[in-house]
Amino acid sequence: MKRSGGSSREGSTVHGTQTNLEKNTVKDLGWDCVRPGAPEVGTPAAQIVVTVEDFAELPVKAPIAHAGPERGWLPVNMVNVLHTDADTQELETDILGTPVRIRATPVEFHWDLGDGNTITTTDPGKPFPSERVSSEYRFEGWYDITLTTTFTGQFSVDGGEWQDIEGSIEIESDSVELYAKSLESRLVNGSTDEDDNKDEDEDEEEPWIPDRTPDTEGPIDPEARHRRI
């Protein structure tokens, strides 16, 4: 948004307008009084202001969400580590020929685990073995994990000082598919070395993971809750 002050001097008043560049609208700011004895008022310089609506239309990138092991599954009741990048982003734009820089800073992360459990935190988390931001699934099935990041913004006009943008925006990341697997213990007869080696090889293999269908979707946790970390 660009705020322009076109002044009209009539005795002790000035007149201003406000132009929204995105919506192509002009708002009449009315007349303002000038105190007696004040310096002569000329046409005020144009002032550029970036609103939260302008901020929301900029291409702020969604952080990449990471959940669970990279293999795409984890055992039921095992810790599911959640983390993302928390980098501040800088973007450049141009308003009526004036360069404007925008700084978007992630300040809060909301995780939806897909089973009814949610987590809100200011901590972006770290990869395993960290468990700073983590959860677990109580039931077997496929789940979508969704991250929504809240950004606050600042803007700088033509290399000037940084100014805060009033309000914040939310950006949703691509969801992560994860399968929670119930692992059952099995008894083996280790009577021969050959059998022992065979069992060890089988244990190293990945367990069978079913295709995602309506029948393999994970259920909602009846004890689901929201946590703030």
Side-chain angles (χ1 to χ4, degrees):
M1 176 181 292
K2 178 181 178 64
R3 173 174 176 154
S4 61
S7 70
S8 173
R9 175 94 174 148
E10 292 185 7
S12 60
T13 60
V14 290
H15 183 262
T17 59
Q18 185 178 43
T19 303
N20 188 314
L21 300 180
E22 299 294 338
K23 299 179 179 179
N24 195 28
T25 59
V26 177
K27 179 181 179 181
D28 188 348
L29 299 180
W31 296 91
D32 195 9
C33 296
V34 178
R35 296 179 181 178
E40 190 72 15
V41 178
T43 301
Q47 180 183 5
I48 294 175
V49 177
V50 178
T51 68
V52 70
E53 290 81 11
D54 302 326
F55 187 27
E57 294 182 1
L58 294 173
V60 178
K61 294 181 180 179
I64 299 175
H66 301 276
E70 294 296 330
R71 60 195 176 191
W73 71 273
L74 81 167
V76 168
N77 296 321
M78 175 174 270
V79 171
N80 175 23
V81 176
L82 309 169
H83 64 98
T84 186
D85 55 274
D87 296 332
T88 295
Q89 303 177 38
E90 287 198 9
L91 304 94
E92 296 183 357
T93 187
D94 185 280
I95 299 179
L96 292 185
T98 303
V100 178
R101 296 170 62 198
I102 308 293
R103 187 158 61 190
T105 304
V107 295
E108 189 172 78
F109 310 93
H110 180 81
W111 296 90
D112 186 329
L113 285 306
D115 65 345
N117 287 288
T118 56
I119 297 173
T120 299
T121 178
T122 57
D123 190 336
K126 288 187 175 182
F128 185 84
S130 171
E131 298 181 9
R132 283 164 35 177
V133 184
S134 60
S135 62
E136 62 183 38
Y137 290 106
R138 299 175 59 224
F139 305 99
E140 185 174 80
W142 283 102
Y143 294 98
D144 285 321
I145 300 171
T146 304
L147 169 65
T148 302
T149 304
T150 300
F151 287 86
T152 57
Q154 293 179 305
F155 69 97
S156 170
V157 180
D158 199 16
E161 65 179 9
W162 288 101
Q163 304 175 61
D164 292 335
I165 298 174
E166 294 186 7
S168 61
I169 62 173
E170 294 182 345
I171 304 292
E172 185 174 302
S173 303
D174 291 337
S175 60
V176 178
E177 286 187 319
L178 198 63
Y179 186 77
K181 173 75 173 179
S182 293
L183 299 182
E184 299 179 356
S185 300
R186 59 187 176 88
L187 299 177
V188 297
N189 183 356
S191 58
T192 67
D193 291 340
E194 183 179 350
D195 289 338
D196 288 341
N197 292 334
K198 181 178 180 181
D199 291 333
E200 289 177 1
D201 292 340
E202 288 178 353
D203 289 341
E204 292 177 358
E205 295 179 358
E206 293 288 329
W208 176 76
I209 303 301
D211 293 334
R212 189 164 190 176
T213 67
D215 292 335
T216 59
E217 290 293 317
I220 295 297
D221 186 346
E223 298 180 7
R225 60 193 178 99
H226 174 72
R227 289 185 291 142
R228 180 171 285 275
I229 300 176

